[in-house]
Amino acid sequence: MAKRPAEDGADDEPMKDGGRPQKTEDGEEVEFEDDYDDEFESEDEVLEAGVDGRPDEEREAEEQRDAMDLDQQTFIPGRSHLEKGETLSPDASAYDMLHNLSTTWPCLSFDIVKDSLGDNRKTYPATLFAVAGTQAESRKARDNELLVMKLSGLSRMDRERNEESDDDDDDDETAEPILETKSLPLSSTTNRIRAHQFPPSDSSKPPTTFTATMTEDSSLLIHDVTPHISSFDNPGTIIMPQQNRPVATLRMHRTEGYALDWSKLFVQPKLLTGDNEGKIFVTTYSDGGKWTSDDRPFTGHSGSVEDLQWSPTERNVFASASSDGSVKVWDLRSKSRKQQLSVQVSSKDVNVISWSHQNSFLLATGADDGQWAVWDLRQWKSLTKDAALMPKPVASFNFHKEQITSVEWHPTDDSIVAVAAADNTLTLWDLAVEIDNEESKDTAGVTDVPPQLLFVHYLEMIKECHWHQQIPGLVMGTGGGGFG
């Protein structure tokens, strides 16, 4: 606002400190005495004294001594290192929602369960269902559990706003998080767990939810957790002891394994499992509740089978990743039970793979040396050992300096990938970012960061990460420090 020139009668305006000039009968001006004039002679003195009566310099020096030493520089995994006594604090402005959950024993494998609350949910507080398997100490193996969880009241971040919000729904978006669990006893550590839903014959009933658990004692356990999930919305429901027992216990593997995947294209539930001997078995559910595994496994890897993925478009095709550094593509219809394609994608163990559901010709891999890559399967024409003829990845990143433990394509965005690594980070990547784009080169002064890297989240000893299929942008991870 512009200043106005003094006008006639300005002498009648109030003066600083509340004083007003008064005229006596002889015309002499006097000023009323300020009751506090002996304490603060001027406004400048008030500022100098500070809010607690002490000079600002003295107060600020004390606050600096007492304050925590806060380093606001960006922490880059594999390059930055925490000093003794230092901890990482997330930047709340980077999250729409952030919650952490700890369990009695670490859950190093989990899966998100589809629910009936609708797709493309964007309102808060959020609700999700998940299953997980624990990893208790060896001497307490019988303390292991299969956890069925409902997480509700997951509110968005309570950010400070510079201006008042006109959104009447703000109060509805704030809630206290609630964790509800049902536990099923397990006698061994869970190596990997995956959930699958089977549509009911009666549309009035909820879908049947199966879990498949690969355990350290080389067993494959199938549980029906439908009553456990239903009990969350039906208070007073009693879970009978027999409902906690597996509906099938399969022991076709002679050694433990980690590779496990359910098919989404077969009408009857069908799953793949792989073990440390390099063997891959197919297990099928038949009417009447019987689970049957093939007597003859798929073989061809010289190392352990680390991960398995069904093709999202061809129901008889699947891919496998191995510690021998290769990825192989197989066909259930092959009588020889041998691979159809094989590519040496790394000189180290290939720990994880993920098949894009948007572009079925793209496959992501993650290896022991911290490198993850994207491959175009259309270039995998035939089996060859000639290095010159071997296909090259369409994208490759060595940002992580520790082994890749999980990789997963975004369920609806064909360029977004979530990656977890043993450097305690979960990263999000956008492959649509062009390397030669001038704007993408701006990394806010942080060097040695690929322009495709969108986000870095710290999660101690992270092992797996999964996108929620029904809540856009929600990704969940688990590790030795709990869930995030």
Side-chain angles (χ1 to χ4, degrees), residues 77 79 370-374 395-400 404 406-410 413-421 423 425-433 448-456 467:
R79 292 104 173 136
Q371 187 173 64
W372 75 275
V374 177
S396 180
F397 304 94
N398 59 0
F399 174 76
H400 292 284
I404 304 299
S406 187
V407 61
E408 187 167 289
W409 289 91
H410 190 285
D413 194 317
D414 61 1
S415 66
I416 304 296
V417 182
V419 179
D423 56 15
T425 58
L426 189 163
T427 55
L428 303 183
W429 301 74
D430 186 357
L431 302 179
V433 175
D448 198 20
V449 174
Q452 293 87 355
L453 179 61
L454 291 180
F455 195 84
V456 179
W467 295 96

mmCIF file of all heavy atoms in Angstrom, residues 77 79 370-374 395-400 404 406-410 413-421 423 425-433 448-456 467:
data_model
loop_
_atom_site.group_PDB
_atom_site.id
_atom_site.type_symbol
_atom_site.label_atom_id
_atom_site.label_comp_id
_atom_site.label_asym_id
_atom_site.label_seq_id
_atom_site.Cartn_x
_atom_site.Cartn_y
_atom_site.Cartn_z
ATOM 1 N N PRO A 77 22.089 -43.122 -1.401
ATOM 2 C CA PRO A 77 22.545 -44.465 -1.017
ATOM 3 C C PRO A 77 23.771 -44.885 -1.801
ATOM 4 O O PRO A 77 23.876 -44.636 -3.007
ATOM 5 C CB PRO A 77 21.333 -45.355 -1.349
ATOM 6 C CG PRO A 77 20.534 -44.575 -2.340
ATOM 7 C CD PRO A 77 20.743 -43.154 -1.984
ATOM 8 N N ARG A 79 26.584 -43.627 -1.661
ATOM 9 C CA ARG A 79 27.544 -42.519 -1.741
ATOM 10 C C ARG A 79 27.646 -41.787 -0.411
ATOM 11 O O ARG A 79 28.729 -41.449 0.038
ATOM 12 C CB ARG A 79 27.150 -41.518 -2.823
ATOM 13 C CG ARG A 79 27.283 -42.090 -4.241
ATOM 14 C CD ARG A 79 25.937 -42.434 -4.767
ATOM 15 N NE ARG A 79 25.956 -42.834 -6.165
ATOM 16 C CZ ARG A 79 25.284 -43.872 -6.617
ATOM 17 N NH1 ARG A 79 24.626 -44.648 -5.796
ATOM 18 N NH2 ARG A 79 25.283 -44.162 -7.891
ATOM 19 N N GLY A 370 23.710 -55.021 -7.836
ATOM 20 C CA GLY A 370 22.998 -53.758 -7.701
ATOM 21 C C GLY A 370 22.465 -53.205 -9.001
ATOM 22 O O GLY A 370 21.830 -52.143 -9.020
ATOM 23 N N GLN A 371 22.680 -53.904 -10.103
ATOM 24 C CA GLN A 371 22.202 -53.420 -11.390
ATOM 25 C C GLN A 371 20.808 -53.962 -11.686
ATOM 26 O O GLN A 371 20.528 -55.137 -11.472
ATOM 27 C CB GLN A 371 23.154 -53.824 -12.510
ATOM 28 C CG GLN A 371 22.816 -53.207 -13.869
ATOM 29 C CD GLN A 371 23.869 -53.501 -14.916
ATOM 30 O OE1 GLN A 371 24.085 -54.657 -15.280
ATOM 31 N NE2 GLN A 371 24.537 -52.469 -15.400
ATOM 32 N N TRP A 372 19.942 -53.089 -12.168
ATOM 33 C CA TRP A 372 18.647 -53.559 -12.652
ATOM 34 C C TRP A 372 18.479 -53.060 -14.089
ATOM 35 O O TRP A 372 19.041 -52.034 -14.479
ATOM 36 C CB TRP A 372 17.506 -53.120 -11.745
ATOM 37 C CG TRP A 372 17.099 -51.683 -11.838
ATOM 38 C CD1 TRP A 372 17.648 -50.615 -11.191
ATOM 39 C CD2 TRP A 372 15.996 -51.171 -12.612
ATOM 40 N NE1 TRP A 372 16.983 -49.472 -11.529
ATOM 41 C CE2 TRP A 372 15.963 -49.782 -12.388
ATOM 42 C CE3 TRP A 372 15.061 -51.749 -13.453
ATOM 43 C CZ2 TRP A 372 15.017 -48.952 -12.984
ATOM 44 C CZ3 TRP A 372 14.116 -50.931 -14.058
ATOM 45 C CH2 TRP A 372 14.097 -49.554 -13.816
ATOM 46 N N ALA A 373 17.750 -53.835 -14.876
ATOM 47 C CA ALA A 373 17.675 -53.548 -16.306
ATOM 48 C C ALA A 373 16.299 -53.908 -16.849
ATOM 49 O O ALA A 373 15.519 -54.636 -16.219
ATOM 50 C CB ALA A 373 18.763 -54.327 -17.055
ATOM 51 N N VAL A 374 15.998 -53.376 -18.020
ATOM 52 C CA VAL A 374 14.752 -53.672 -18.727
ATOM 53 C C VAL A 374 15.107 -54.269 -20.078
ATOM 54 O O VAL A 374 15.961 -53.731 -20.809
ATOM 55 C CB VAL A 374 13.897 -52.400 -18.914
ATOM 56 C CG1 VAL A 374 12.642 -52.720 -19.715
ATOM 57 C CG2 VAL A 374 13.528 -51.803 -17.560
ATOM 58 N N ALA A 395 17.286 -50.568 -21.248
ATOM 59 C CA ALA A 395 17.632 -49.619 -20.182
ATOM 60 C C ALA A 395 18.351 -50.382 -19.091
ATOM 61 O O ALA A 395 18.009 -51.528 -18.791
ATOM 62 C CB ALA A 395 16.391 -48.933 -19.625
ATOM 63 N N SER A 396 19.356 -49.753 -18.497
ATOM 64 C CA SER A 396 20.129 -50.415 -17.440
ATOM 65 C C SER A 396 20.638 -49.363 -16.472
ATOM 66 O O SER A 396 21.088 -48.289 -16.896
ATOM 67 C CB SER A 396 21.306 -51.181 -18.057
ATOM 68 O OG SER A 396 22.066 -51.827 -17.056
ATOM 69 N N PHE A 397 20.575 -49.664 -15.165
ATOM 70 C CA PHE A 397 20.954 -48.705 -14.131
ATOM 71 C C PHE A 397 21.804 -49.381 -13.063
ATOM 72 O O PHE A 397 21.447 -50.459 -12.572
ATOM 73 C CB PHE A 397 19.704 -48.099 -13.487
ATOM 74 C CG PHE A 397 18.773 -47.447 -14.476
ATOM 75 C CD1 PHE A 397 17.709 -48.166 -15.019
ATOM 76 C CD2 PHE A 397 18.970 -46.141 -14.878
ATOM 77 C CE1 PHE A 397 16.848 -47.586 -15.934
ATOM 78 C CE2 PHE A 397 18.121 -45.546 -15.811
ATOM 79 C CZ PHE A 397 17.063 -46.268 -16.328
ATOM 80 N N ASN A 398 22.887 -48.744 -12.696
ATOM 81 C CA ASN A 398 23.735 -49.255 -11.614
ATOM 82 C C ASN A 398 23.801 -48.264 -10.457
ATOM 83 O O ASN A 398 24.809 -48.114 -9.799
ATOM 84 C CB ASN A 398 25.145 -49.572 -12.126
ATOM 85 C CG ASN A 398 25.832 -48.342 -12.726
ATOM 86 O OD1 ASN A 398 25.256 -47.252 -12.758
ATOM 87 N ND2 ASN A 398 27.042 -48.523 -13.184
ATOM 88 N N PHE A 399 22.693 -47.546 -10.247
ATOM 89 C CA PHE A 399 22.610 -46.561 -9.165
ATOM 90 C C PHE A 399 22.797 -47.223 -7.801
ATOM 91 O O PHE A 399 23.515 -46.725 -6.940
ATOM 92 C CB PHE A 399 21.254 -45.851 -9.232
ATOM 93 C CG PHE A 399 20.981 -44.924 -8.085
ATOM 94 C CD1 PHE A 399 21.594 -43.683 -8.021
ATOM 95 C CD2 PHE A 399 20.113 -45.298 -7.065
ATOM 96 C CE1 PHE A 399 21.339 -42.831 -6.949
ATOM 97 C CE2 PHE A 399 19.856 -44.455 -6.012
ATOM 98 C CZ PHE A 399 20.469 -43.220 -5.943
ATOM 99 N N HIS A 400 22.129 -48.357 -7.594
ATOM 100 C CA HIS A 400 22.255 -49.082 -6.330
ATOM 101 C C HIS A 400 23.598 -49.809 -6.282
ATOM 102 O O HIS A 400 24.039 -50.374 -7.283
ATOM 103 C CB HIS A 400 21.115 -50.090 -6.163
ATOM 104 C CG HIS A 400 19.775 -49.456 -5.964
ATOM 105 N ND1 HIS A 400 19.383 -48.895 -4.774
ATOM 106 C CD2 HIS A 400 18.731 -49.296 -6.823
ATOM 107 C CE1 HIS A 400 18.155 -48.417 -4.896
ATOM 108 N NE2 HIS A 400 17.734 -48.645 -6.133
ATOM 109 N N ILE A 404 19.938 -56.111 -5.637
ATOM 110 C CA ILE A 404 18.527 -55.785 -5.838
ATOM 111 C C ILE A 404 17.698 -56.913 -5.228
ATOM 112 O O ILE A 404 17.902 -58.086 -5.541
ATOM 113 C CB ILE A 404 18.193 -55.632 -7.329
ATOM 114 C CG1 ILE A 404 19.102 -54.577 -7.982
ATOM 115 C CG2 ILE A 404 16.726 -55.263 -7.507
ATOM 116 C CD1 ILE A 404 18.992 -53.198 -7.406
ATOM 117 N N SER A 406 14.071 -56.601 -4.887
ATOM 118 C CA SER A 406 12.694 -56.613 -5.388
ATOM 119 C C SER A 406 12.584 -55.622 -6.540
ATOM 120 O O SER A 406 13.232 -54.574 -6.533
ATOM 121 C CB SER A 406 11.716 -56.224 -4.266
ATOM 122 O OG SER A 406 10.364 -56.385 -4.672
ATOM 123 N N VAL A 407 11.790 -55.968 -7.535
ATOM 124 C CA VAL A 407 11.504 -55.064 -8.649
ATOM 125 C C VAL A 407 10.077 -55.323 -9.105
ATOM 126 O O VAL A 407 9.629 -56.480 -9.166
ATOM 127 C CB VAL A 407 12.514 -55.257 -9.809
ATOM 128 C CG1 VAL A 407 12.459 -56.678 -10.356
ATOM 129 C CG2 VAL A 407 12.289 -54.241 -10.913
ATOM 130 N N GLU A 408 9.326 -54.240 -9.370
ATOM 131 C CA GLU A 408 7.932 -54.437 -9.766
ATOM 132 C C GLU A 408 7.454 -53.259 -10.608
ATOM 133 O O GLU A 408 7.596 -52.095 -10.226
ATOM 134 C CB GLU A 408 7.039 -54.593 -8.531
ATOM 135 C CG GLU A 408 5.604 -54.977 -8.861
ATOM 136 C CD GLU A 408 4.815 -55.428 -7.641
ATOM 137 O OE1 GLU A 408 5.094 -56.536 -7.134
ATOM 138 O OE2 GLU A 408 3.939 -54.675 -7.188
ATOM 139 N N TRP A 409 6.867 -53.588 -11.768
ATOM 140 C CA TRP A 409 6.273 -52.572 -12.632
ATOM 141 C C TRP A 409 5.026 -51.988 -11.971
ATOM 142 O O TRP A 409 4.283 -52.685 -11.283
ATOM 143 C CB TRP A 409 5.866 -53.172 -13.970
ATOM 144 C CG TRP A 409 6.998 -53.544 -14.879
ATOM 145 C CD1 TRP A 409 7.633 -54.756 -14.952
ATOM 146 C CD2 TRP A 409 7.639 -52.707 -15.847
ATOM 147 N NE1 TRP A 409 8.617 -54.735 -15.905
ATOM 148 C CE2 TRP A 409 8.653 -53.479 -16.466
ATOM 149 C CE3 TRP A 409 7.465 -51.387 -16.252
ATOM 150 C CZ2 TRP A 409 9.469 -52.980 -17.474
ATOM 151 C CZ3 TRP A 409 8.285 -50.877 -17.247
ATOM 152 C CH2 TRP A 409 9.271 -51.671 -17.854
ATOM 153 N N HIS A 410 4.784 -50.721 -12.242
ATOM 154 C CA HIS A 410 3.541 -50.077 -11.811
ATOM 155 C C HIS A 410 2.368 -50.784 -12.498
ATOM 156 O O HIS A 410 2.454 -51.163 -13.664
ATOM 157 C CB HIS A 410 3.576 -48.600 -12.194
ATOM 158 C CG HIS A 410 2.481 -47.773 -11.605
ATOM 159 N ND1 HIS A 410 1.186 -47.813 -12.068
ATOM 160 C CD2 HIS A 410 2.487 -46.885 -10.573
ATOM 161 C CE1 HIS A 410 0.439 -46.977 -11.358
ATOM 162 N NE2 HIS A 410 1.210 -46.401 -10.446
ATOM 163 N N ASP A 413 0.798 -47.681 -15.017
ATOM 164 C CA ASP A 413 1.692 -46.774 -15.747
ATOM 165 C C ASP A 413 2.825 -47.585 -16.363
ATOM 166 O O ASP A 413 3.617 -48.207 -15.649
ATOM 167 C CB ASP A 413 2.257 -45.709 -14.791
ATOM 168 C CG ASP A 413 2.910 -44.558 -15.537
ATOM 169 O OD1 ASP A 413 3.631 -44.832 -16.510
ATOM 170 O OD2 ASP A 413 2.704 -43.397 -15.149
ATOM 171 N N ASP A 414 2.923 -47.571 -17.668
ATOM 172 C CA ASP A 414 3.856 -48.470 -18.349
ATOM 173 C C ASP A 414 5.317 -48.031 -18.270
ATOM 174 O O ASP A 414 6.196 -48.714 -18.808
ATOM 175 C CB ASP A 414 3.457 -48.643 -19.815
ATOM 176 C CG ASP A 414 3.481 -47.335 -20.599
ATOM 177 O OD1 ASP A 414 3.818 -46.295 -20.005
ATOM 178 O OD2 ASP A 414 3.161 -47.350 -21.803
ATOM 179 N N SER A 415 5.611 -46.924 -17.596
ATOM 180 C CA SER A 415 7.001 -46.471 -17.527
ATOM 181 C C SER A 415 7.546 -46.404 -16.095
ATOM 182 O O SER A 415 8.722 -46.111 -15.912
ATOM 183 C CB SER A 415 7.139 -45.087 -18.177
ATOM 184 O OG SER A 415 6.435 -44.101 -17.435
ATOM 185 N N ILE A 416 6.712 -46.664 -15.110
ATOM 186 C CA ILE A 416 7.124 -46.520 -13.710
ATOM 187 C C ILE A 416 7.494 -47.889 -13.128
ATOM 188 O O ILE A 416 6.755 -48.866 -13.279
ATOM 189 C CB ILE A 416 6.015 -45.878 -12.855
ATOM 190 C CG1 ILE A 416 5.601 -44.530 -13.452
ATOM 191 C CG2 ILE A 416 6.478 -45.712 -11.417
ATOM 192 C CD1 ILE A 416 6.687 -43.492 -13.455
ATOM 193 N N VAL A 417 8.632 -47.948 -12.424
ATOM 194 C CA VAL A 417 9.109 -49.184 -11.811
ATOM 195 C C VAL A 417 9.543 -48.892 -10.376
ATOM 196 O O VAL A 417 10.192 -47.878 -10.101
ATOM 197 C CB VAL A 417 10.307 -49.769 -12.593
ATOM 198 C CG1 VAL A 417 10.759 -51.094 -11.971
ATOM 199 C CG2 VAL A 417 9.946 -49.972 -14.063
ATOM 200 N N ALA A 418 9.178 -49.790 -9.455
ATOM 201 C CA ALA A 418 9.638 -49.712 -8.067
ATOM 202 C C ALA A 418 10.759 -50.734 -7.873
ATOM 203 O O ALA A 418 10.645 -51.874 -8.321
ATOM 204 C CB ALA A 418 8.492 -50.006 -7.099
ATOM 205 N N VAL A 419 11.836 -50.306 -7.208
ATOM 206 C CA VAL A 419 13.006 -51.165 -7.001
ATOM 207 C C VAL A 419 13.425 -51.095 -5.537
ATOM 208 O O VAL A 419 13.510 -50.011 -4.956
ATOM 209 C CB VAL A 419 14.186 -50.718 -7.890
ATOM 210 C CG1 VAL A 419 15.406 -51.597 -7.642
ATOM 211 C CG2 VAL A 419 13.791 -50.761 -9.374
ATOM 212 N N ALA A 420 13.673 -52.251 -4.924
ATOM 213 C CA ALA A 420 14.199 -52.310 -3.561
ATOM 214 C C ALA A 420 15.585 -52.931 -3.603
ATOM 215 O O ALA A 420 15.854 -53.831 -4.398
ATOM 216 C CB ALA A 420 13.281 -53.137 -2.664
ATOM 217 N N ALA A 421 16.478 -52.451 -2.726
ATOM 218 C CA ALA A 421 17.857 -52.938 -2.732
ATOM 219 C C ALA A 421 18.376 -53.067 -1.313
ATOM 220 O O ALA A 421 17.826 -52.496 -0.357
ATOM 221 C CB ALA A 421 18.753 -52.006 -3.548
ATOM 222 N N ASP A 423 20.784 -51.734 -0.017
ATOM 223 C CA ASP A 423 21.323 -50.495 0.545
ATOM 224 C C ASP A 423 20.265 -49.764 1.370
ATOM 225 O O ASP A 423 20.381 -48.577 1.643
ATOM 226 C CB ASP A 423 21.873 -49.580 -0.560
ATOM 227 C CG ASP A 423 20.834 -49.271 -1.635
ATOM 228 O OD1 ASP A 423 19.637 -49.508 -1.397
ATOM 229 O OD2 ASP A 423 21.220 -48.795 -2.714
ATOM 230 N N THR A 425 17.120 -49.020 0.630
ATOM 231 C CA THR A 425 16.306 -48.025 -0.055
ATOM 232 C C THR A 425 15.286 -48.672 -0.983
ATOM 233 O O THR A 425 15.497 -49.743 -1.538
ATOM 234 C CB THR A 425 17.164 -47.065 -0.901
ATOM 235 O OG1 THR A 425 17.911 -47.808 -1.853
ATOM 236 C CG2 THR A 425 18.096 -46.257 -0.023
ATOM 237 N N LEU A 426 14.165 -47.958 -1.117
ATOM 238 C CA LEU A 426 13.144 -48.271 -2.106
ATOM 239 C C LEU A 426 13.126 -47.084 -3.064
ATOM 240 O O LEU A 426 12.911 -45.944 -2.630
ATOM 241 C CB LEU A 426 11.782 -48.464 -1.442
ATOM 242 C CG LEU A 426 10.620 -48.998 -2.281
ATOM 243 C CD1 LEU A 426 9.505 -49.502 -1.352
ATOM 244 C CD2 LEU A 426 10.040 -47.964 -3.226
ATOM 245 N N THR A 427 13.373 -47.325 -4.335
ATOM 246 C CA THR A 427 13.425 -46.242 -5.304
ATOM 247 C C THR A 427 12.332 -46.392 -6.353
ATOM 248 O O THR A 427 11.916 -47.506 -6.679
ATOM 249 C CB THR A 427 14.799 -46.199 -6.012
ATOM 250 O OG1 THR A 427 15.072 -47.494 -6.589
ATOM 251 C CG2 THR A 427 15.906 -45.849 -5.028
ATOM 252 N N LEU A 428 11.861 -45.258 -6.864
ATOM 253 C CA LEU A 428 10.878 -45.230 -7.949
ATOM 254 C C LEU A 428 11.532 -44.606 -9.171
ATOM 255 O O LEU A 428 12.239 -43.589 -9.059
ATOM 256 C CB LEU A 428 9.644 -44.424 -7.539
ATOM 257 C CG LEU A 428 8.912 -44.885 -6.277
ATOM 258 C CD1 LEU A 428 7.669 -44.030 -6.038
ATOM 259 C CD2 LEU A 428 8.524 -46.357 -6.364
ATOM 260 N N TRP A 429 11.264 -45.195 -10.337
ATOM 261 C CA TRP A 429 11.907 -44.780 -11.576
ATOM 262 C C TRP A 429 10.869 -44.515 -12.662
ATOM 263 O O TRP A 429 9.848 -45.206 -12.731
ATOM 264 C CB TRP A 429 12.864 -45.872 -12.065
ATOM 265 C CG TRP A 429 13.940 -46.219 -11.094
ATOM 266 C CD1 TRP A 429 13.811 -46.946 -9.937
ATOM 267 C CD2 TRP A 429 15.317 -45.828 -11.165
ATOM 268 N NE1 TRP A 429 15.022 -47.037 -9.302
ATOM 269 C CE2 TRP A 429 15.969 -46.373 -10.026
ATOM 270 C CE3 TRP A 429 16.062 -45.090 -12.083
ATOM 271 C CZ2 TRP A 429 17.326 -46.186 -9.791
ATOM 272 C CZ3 TRP A 429 17.413 -44.915 -11.855
ATOM 273 C CH2 TRP A 429 18.033 -45.453 -10.722
ATOM 274 N N ASP A 430 11.152 -43.518 -13.496
ATOM 275 C CA ASP A 430 10.299 -43.216 -14.645
ATOM 276 C C ASP A 430 11.125 -43.367 -15.915
ATOM 277 O O ASP A 430 11.970 -42.530 -16.237
ATOM 278 C CB ASP A 430 9.752 -41.786 -14.544
ATOM 279 C CG ASP A 430 8.744 -41.475 -15.647
ATOM 280 O OD1 ASP A 430 8.527 -42.349 -16.523
ATOM 281 O OD2 ASP A 430 8.171 -40.375 -15.638
ATOM 282 N N LEU A 431 10.876 -44.451 -16.639
ATOM 283 C CA LEU A 431 11.657 -44.744 -17.836
ATOM 284 C C LEU A 431 11.279 -43.849 -19.008
ATOM 285 O O LEU A 431 11.959 -43.858 -20.041
ATOM 286 C CB LEU A 431 11.475 -46.212 -18.232
ATOM 287 C CG LEU A 431 11.873 -47.235 -17.159
ATOM 288 C CD1 LEU A 431 11.619 -48.648 -17.668
ATOM 289 C CD2 LEU A 431 13.327 -47.071 -16.761
ATOM 290 N N ALA A 432 10.213 -43.061 -18.852
ATOM 291 C CA ALA A 432 9.795 -42.177 -19.938
ATOM 292 C C ALA A 432 10.630 -40.903 -19.990
ATOM 293 O O ALA A 432 10.555 -40.155 -20.961
ATOM 294 C CB ALA A 432 8.316 -41.812 -19.780
ATOM 295 N N VAL A 433 11.434 -40.654 -18.956
ATOM 296 C CA VAL A 433 12.272 -39.457 -18.933
ATOM 297 C C VAL A 433 13.392 -39.603 -19.955
ATOM 298 O O VAL A 433 14.122 -40.590 -19.943
ATOM 299 C CB VAL A 433 12.861 -39.221 -17.523
ATOM 300 C CG1 VAL A 433 13.839 -38.047 -17.540
ATOM 301 C CG2 VAL A 433 11.742 -38.964 -16.528
ATOM 302 N N ASP A 448 25.643 -37.579 -9.803
ATOM 303 C CA ASP A 448 25.650 -39.034 -9.941
ATOM 304 C C ASP A 448 24.269 -39.631 -9.715
ATOM 305 O O ASP A 448 24.123 -40.696 -9.122
ATOM 306 C CB ASP A 448 26.661 -39.650 -8.958
ATOM 307 C CG ASP A 448 27.043 -41.071 -9.351
ATOM 308 O OD1 ASP A 448 26.847 -41.419 -10.527
ATOM 309 O OD2 ASP A 448 27.527 -41.821 -8.483
ATOM 310 N N VAL A 449 23.247 -38.933 -10.186
ATOM 311 C CA VAL A 449 21.868 -39.416 -10.060
ATOM 312 C C VAL A 449 21.243 -39.469 -11.443
ATOM 313 O O VAL A 449 21.166 -38.445 -12.125
ATOM 314 C CB VAL A 449 21.025 -38.504 -9.145
ATOM 315 C CG1 VAL A 449 19.572 -38.941 -9.149
ATOM 316 C CG2 VAL A 449 21.577 -38.527 -7.730
ATOM 317 N N PRO A 450 20.775 -40.639 -11.902
ATOM 318 C CA PRO A 450 20.137 -40.727 -13.223
ATOM 319 C C PRO A 450 18.872 -39.878 -13.276
ATOM 320 O O PRO A 450 18.128 -39.800 -12.282
ATOM 321 C CB PRO A 450 19.797 -42.219 -13.358
ATOM 322 C CG PRO A 450 20.656 -42.912 -12.347
ATOM 323 C CD PRO A 450 20.839 -41.948 -11.221
ATOM 324 N N PRO A 451 18.595 -39.218 -14.376
ATOM 325 C CA PRO A 451 17.389 -38.389 -14.472
ATOM 326 C C PRO A 451 16.100 -39.191 -14.348
ATOM 327 O O PRO A 451 15.053 -38.641 -14.031
ATOM 328 C CB PRO A 451 17.510 -37.732 -15.857
ATOM 329 C CG PRO A 451 18.469 -38.597 -16.611
ATOM 330 C CD PRO A 451 19.414 -39.149 -15.601
ATOM 331 N N GLN A 452 16.164 -40.501 -14.582
ATOM 332 C CA GLN A 452 14.959 -41.332 -14.473
ATOM 333 C C GLN A 452 14.585 -41.637 -13.020
ATOM 334 O O GLN A 452 13.495 -42.149 -12.754
ATOM 335 C CB GLN A 452 15.159 -42.656 -15.219
ATOM 336 C CG GLN A 452 15.288 -42.513 -16.721
ATOM 337 C CD GLN A 452 16.716 -42.248 -17.155
ATOM 338 O OE1 GLN A 452 17.606 -42.073 -16.326
ATOM 339 N NE2 GLN A 452 16.949 -42.216 -18.459
ATOM 340 N N LEU A 453 15.480 -41.352 -12.087
ATOM 341 C CA LEU A 453 15.199 -41.622 -10.677
ATOM 342 C C LEU A 453 14.236 -40.575 -10.140
ATOM 343 O O LEU A 453 14.538 -39.384 -10.104
ATOM 344 C CB LEU A 453 16.499 -41.614 -9.866
ATOM 345 C CG LEU A 453 16.356 -41.857 -8.356
ATOM 346 C CD1 LEU A 453 15.749 -43.224 -8.081
ATOM 347 C CD2 LEU A 453 17.711 -41.727 -7.666
ATOM 348 N N LEU A 454 13.061 -41.025 -9.683
ATOM 349 C CA LEU A 454 12.030 -40.127 -9.186
ATOM 350 C C LEU A 454 12.081 -39.930 -7.684
ATOM 351 O O LEU A 454 11.846 -38.833 -7.180
ATOM 352 C CB LEU A 454 10.635 -40.678 -9.544
ATOM 353 C CG LEU A 454 10.193 -40.690 -10.996
ATOM 354 C CD1 LEU A 454 8.788 -41.281 -11.084
ATOM 355 C CD2 LEU A 454 10.218 -39.294 -11.584
ATOM 356 N N PHE A 455 12.393 -40.997 -6.951
ATOM 357 C CA PHE A 455 12.123 -40.975 -5.511
ATOM 358 C C PHE A 455 13.012 -41.990 -4.808
ATOM 359 O O PHE A 455 13.275 -43.067 -5.333
ATOM 360 C CB PHE A 455 10.648 -41.345 -5.287
ATOM 361 C CG PHE A 455 10.110 -41.028 -3.922
ATOM 362 C CD1 PHE A 455 9.644 -39.767 -3.622
ATOM 363 C CD2 PHE A 455 10.073 -41.998 -2.933
ATOM 364 C CE1 PHE A 455 9.149 -39.471 -2.365
ATOM 365 C CE2 PHE A 455 9.581 -41.717 -1.672
ATOM 366 C CZ PHE A 455 9.118 -40.447 -1.394
ATOM 367 N N VAL A 456 13.475 -41.628 -3.612
ATOM 368 C CA VAL A 456 14.261 -42.538 -2.785
ATOM 369 C C VAL A 456 13.663 -42.562 -1.383
ATOM 370 O O VAL A 456 13.525 -41.518 -0.744
ATOM 371 C CB VAL A 456 15.745 -42.110 -2.704
ATOM 372 C CG1 VAL A 456 16.519 -43.080 -1.815
ATOM 373 C CG2 VAL A 456 16.370 -42.046 -4.085
ATOM 374 N N TRP A 467 3.204 -52.661 -5.367
ATOM 375 C CA TRP A 467 2.211 -51.626 -5.624
ATOM 376 C C TRP A 467 0.833 -52.138 -5.193
ATOM 377 O O TRP A 467 0.549 -53.322 -5.316
ATOM 378 C CB TRP A 467 2.152 -51.287 -7.110
ATOM 379 C CG TRP A 467 3.383 -50.680 -7.678
ATOM 380 C CD1 TRP A 467 4.383 -51.320 -8.340
ATOM 381 C CD2 TRP A 467 3.753 -49.300 -7.663
ATOM 382 N NE1 TRP A 467 5.359 -50.432 -8.747
ATOM 383 C CE2 TRP A 467 4.988 -49.180 -8.337
ATOM 384 C CE3 TRP A 467 3.161 -48.146 -7.138
ATOM 385 C CZ2 TRP A 467 5.638 -47.948 -8.509
ATOM 386 C CZ3 TRP A 467 3.806 -46.932 -7.305
ATOM 387 C CH2 TRP A 467 5.025 -46.839 -7.981
#
